[in-house]
Amino acid sequence: MRTALLSALAAASLAVSPVSAPASAQAPSYDIVIRNGRVMDGAGNPWVHADVAIKDGRIASIGKVSGKGKREIDAAGRYVTPGWIDMMDQSGAVLRQNGGAENKLLMGVTTVIAGEGGTPVPAADITAYFKELETKGIAVNFGTYYSATQAREEVIGDKAAPPTPAELEAIRAKVRTAMNAGTLGLATALIYPPGSFQTTDELVEIVKASAPCQGIYATHMRDESAGLLDGIKEAIAIGERAGVKVEIFHLKAAYAPRFGQMMPEAVKLIAEARARGVDVAADMYMYPFAGTGLEITAPTWVYENGLDAAVALLKDPAARERMKKDLAAGPQPGWTNMVYSAGGWDRVVLANPHNPKWEKYRFQSIAAIAKDVGRDPADVAWDIMLEALPKRAVALYFMMDERDIETALKQPWVSIGSDAGAAPVYGKIDGLGLPHPRAYGNAARTIAEYVKRRPVLTLEDAVRKMTSWPAARMGLDDRGVLREGLRADITIFDYDRLDDRASFAEPTISPVGIDYVLVNGQLVVDGGKVTAARPGMVLKGACAALASAS
């Protein structure tokens, strides 16, 4: 009797229970689920086998994910890491033309930090500039510095004269405007006029204006060659006196006479500053040659009265003779003699003359070009520079040594930055007009060259240098590691296939092995192909965040 009663109750229960739909017919729980990957959290930990579920632009679950995604990605055999952060980008102007940043995405980059030369608009227009980027749409997350030199130029122009007290206060006001709009700090490029005319004391007072907004002082130092150590000391002093973090752009020991000797001393200086509580760190790119304009081959005094006066001097034979004597004399206070530091004109290679007359000499040294035309190398360089105006003729300077690159790269406080912009047109040179392979290969090369081909870094540390560490430096607390609730910026790559392919002879070739890239939960690279998605965000500094919250 009892058995019959229980059977009847069970039958009644089944009769009123809803019929469960087959698992395959259930509505997806997530937007995307990445299955079976080697999940590396970005904090330096080893990988674990796990799934990653994404919903509404954020990481919803990590582990064994039972729910389905609208899109399922099988990452078996691949690494799943946070999206890679480019700590020294040059895309501020280019993203207004093309928000796709295809060359960045295809090397795994999801976030770029720009602004070595400041913003492409004046301080008063930065809010509108950010809104323009967000409205047009960008594929990468974008943050930028404003420039201390830019602020100075907005007030007093490009001459060497120091600002008056009233002008200095006007410059500081520009900084406050930029910081309130959302810039991340102040940058300088003290190797280039008119930035080179700014004194340490002047810079301290300008940078102080960014301190209430937790600004970072980021600098292309006054000297990266013979005066490298003094340049580092000045950068540290500015940050220490102004009460802000210090970021040293593209750390290098660019001085051939002391290859292998200066970088250990530079590392020691920075480590000592950190030990006493100065928040100083650095970024670097992964190549033994720099790229910049040919104008840097002329001494600083040429530019003291502005560009127009400099052009007149560069055309004057008597002035050129004085300039050549300075070149031959080697290092001088206030000017990085990059020709001497590289080891001579045979180590300065023409990259982009912006002039058909010189186009056939691309990727030849200035020494070789001079020999071919039967002229002095300095005259050839300055003629190419003048004949490119108003564009900027650029060159590659082979002035670094792999021993020094390895020494710097091993430091835990060094992150990775390309010093290159997004390409206005994919497959063409970047927005700087500089055909340097770092624009297409830098992030991938960090792993391909310095983990795979030679064991300078572990894979875990290489990923950390491009994810959690730069995110921590920049205060990006919603991304940079794989954690539930954080923004879903993710790079998925095949370690065995990963290779950077760009070279200085073929600088616009993207890496292989980076199969999927997500920005804020949307696929921007799908099966190795760039999509049309534009999910990038403008990343703003502390004062803009406070203003938004209020």
Side-chain angles (χ1 to χ4, degrees):
M1 181 72 176
R2 185 172 182 275
T3 302
L5 178 61
L6 289 173
S7 297
L9 289 172
S13 174
L14 287 170
V16 298
S17 296
V19 177
S20 297
S24 59
Q26 291 179 354
S29 303
Y30 304 105
D31 297 322
I32 297 173
V33 177
I34 302 164
R35 303 276 183 193
N36 309 313
R38 297 178 179 182
V39 176
M40 189 174 287
D41 66 3
N45 295 310
W47 63 269
V48 297
H49 275 304
D51 305 328
V52 179
I54 298 158
K55 189 174 180 62
D56 298 330
R58 293 183 181 269
I59 298 170
S61 181
I62 301 176
K64 183 62 178 176
V65 175
S66 57
K68 299 295 182 182
K70 295 176 185 175
R71 171 70 185 273
E72 298 264 332
I73 296 173
D74 183 5
R78 297 181 177 91
Y79 287 90
V80 180
T81 74
W84 300 347
I85 299 172
D86 188 335
M87 277 289 277
M88 198 209 168
D89 170 78
Q90 300 280 7
S91 299
V94 175
L95 290 178
R96 305 176 83 183
Q97 307 168 42
N98 172 23
E102 295 90 348
N103 57 314
K104 298 285 181 171
L105 299 177
L106 287 169
M107 60 175 165
V109 169
T110 60
T111 295
V112 300
I113 307 298
E116 177 194 22
T119 56
V121 298
D125 297 335
I126 291 174
T127 297
Y129 162 63
F130 286 160
K131 186 175 182 180
E132 173 193 336
L133 294 179
E134 292 171 331
T135 301
K136 287 183 176 179
I138 52 177
V140 291
N141 302 308
F142 173 81
T144 185
Y145 300 101
Y146 180 60
S147 165
T149 306
Q150 177 182 7
R152 186 184 198 268
E153 286 187 275
E154 288 180 21
V155 174
I156 67 171
D158 64 356
K159 296 183 180 180
T164 66
E167 289 169 338
L168 182 59
E169 184 49 42
I171 292 168
R172 287 166 50 85
K174 298 283 187 184
V175 172
R176 289 190 288 269
T177 296
M179 295 301 298
N180 288 333
T183 55
L184 302 172
L186 280 185
T188 57
L190 301 180
I191 195 172
Y192 304 111
S196 56
F197 304 139
Q198 293 181 285
T199 67
T200 303
D201 289 342
E202 177 188 332
L203 287 168
V204 168
E205 293 307 310
I206 295 172
V207 174
K208 278 181 181 178
S210 72
C213 297
Q214 301 173 39
I216 300 172
Y217 173 62
T219 181
H220 179 152
M221 296 181 297
R222 205 174 294 276
D223 197 340
E224 300 171 323
S225 298
L228 171 66
L229 303 182
D230 287 337
I232 291 173
K233 290 174 184 176
E234 181 188 38
I236 291 169
I238 290 169
E240 201 164 13
R241 290 170 60 186
V244 299
K245 295 179 184 178
V246 178
E247 179 73 11
I248 295 173
F249 283 144
H250 47 52
L251 179 64
K252 61 174 74 77
Y255 190 56
R258 293 198 64 201
F259 280 166
Q261 301 172 43
M262 293 182 72
M263 185 58 78
E265 297 172 15
V267 164
K268 184 172 182 288
L269 270 179
I270 295 170
E272 288 173 348
R274 290 185 61 82
R276 68 172 185 267
V278 182
D279 193 348
V280 54
D283 54 71
M284 63 185 297
Y285 53 78
M286 302 292 98
Y287 299 86
F289 47 94
T292 193
L294 279 171
E295 77 280 354
I296 200 65
T297 63
T300 302
W301 60 261
V302 173
Y303 300 96
E304 287 180 349
N305 293 309
L307 180 59
D308 290 342
V311 169
L313 286 172
L314 283 159
K315 292 178 179 179
D316 179 2
R320 282 197 176 193
E321 289 307 309
R322 179 184 168 191
M323 292 157 60
K324 290 173 188 176
K325 289 179 181 178
D326 286 349
L327 275 172
Q332 297 177 34
W335 173 49
T336 297
N337 187 339
M338 288 181 66
V339 179
Y340 185 92
S341 297
W345 287 110
D346 60 331
R347 293 178 59 82
V348 179
V349 172
L350 179 63
N352 191 347
H354 291 292
N355 188 311
K357 173 182 174 181
W358 300 101
E359 187 67 28
K360 66 179 181 180
Y361 292 112
R362 270 193 193 229
F363 304 120
Q364 294 188 38
S365 72
I366 298 296
I369 300 169
K371 182 177 181 181
D372 189 64
V373 299
R375 301 189 61 213
D376 183 280
D379 287 320
V380 169
W382 297 330
D383 284 352
I384 292 172
M385 171 197 161
L386 291 171
E387 291 169 20
L389 293 173
K391 294 185 177 179
R392 186 188 191 202
V394 289
L396 303 175
Y397 300 77
F398 286 73
M399 56 194 305
M400 283 89 85
D401 184 80
E402 285 290 350
R403 291 170 295 174
D404 295 325
I405 291 174
E406 292 186 9
T407 296
L409 188 57
K410 289 175 181 177
Q411 306 313 308
W413 36 261
V414 167
S415 59
I416 308 302
S418 67
D419 193 12
V425 178
Y426 176 67
K428 304 296 183 182
I429 59 176
D430 74 1
L432 298 177
L434 176 62
H436 194 299
R438 63 195 183 195
Y440 281 73
N442 190 69
R445 182 175 171 81
T446 304
I447 295 173
E449 180 68 21
Y450 295 96
V451 177
K452 288 179 62 176
R453 289 193 279 269
R454 43 185 158 143
V456 178
L457 300 175
T458 64
L459 179 59
E460 293 84 356
D461 199 33
V463 170
R464 182 191 67 85
K465 286 175 175 291
M466 296 191 288
T467 57
S468 65
W469 171 234
R473 280 292 288 159
M474 302 308 301
L476 307 177
D477 56 7
D478 62 346
R479 65 194 77 230
V481 291
L482 297 183
R483 295 281 189 275
E484 291 181 7
L486 298 192
R487 298 279 183 183
D489 291 348
I490 296 174
T491 297
I492 303 173
F493 66 95
D494 184 327
Y495 179 83
D496 292 334
R497 290 171 44 236
L498 182 66
D499 193 18
D500 65 299
R501 301 183 298 164
S503 65
F504 86 85
E506 293 184 284
T508 59
I509 303 176
S510 289
V512 292
I514 296 171
D515 298 317
Y516 300 93
V517 178
L518 293 89
V519 173
N520 296 312
Q522 295 187 41
L523 279 162
V524 290
V525 174
D526 188 351
K529 305 292 185 182
V530 176
T531 73
R534 296 288 187 272
M537 302 170 61
V538 174
L539 307 176
K540 298 177 183 177
C543 280
L546 290 172
S548 177
S550 64

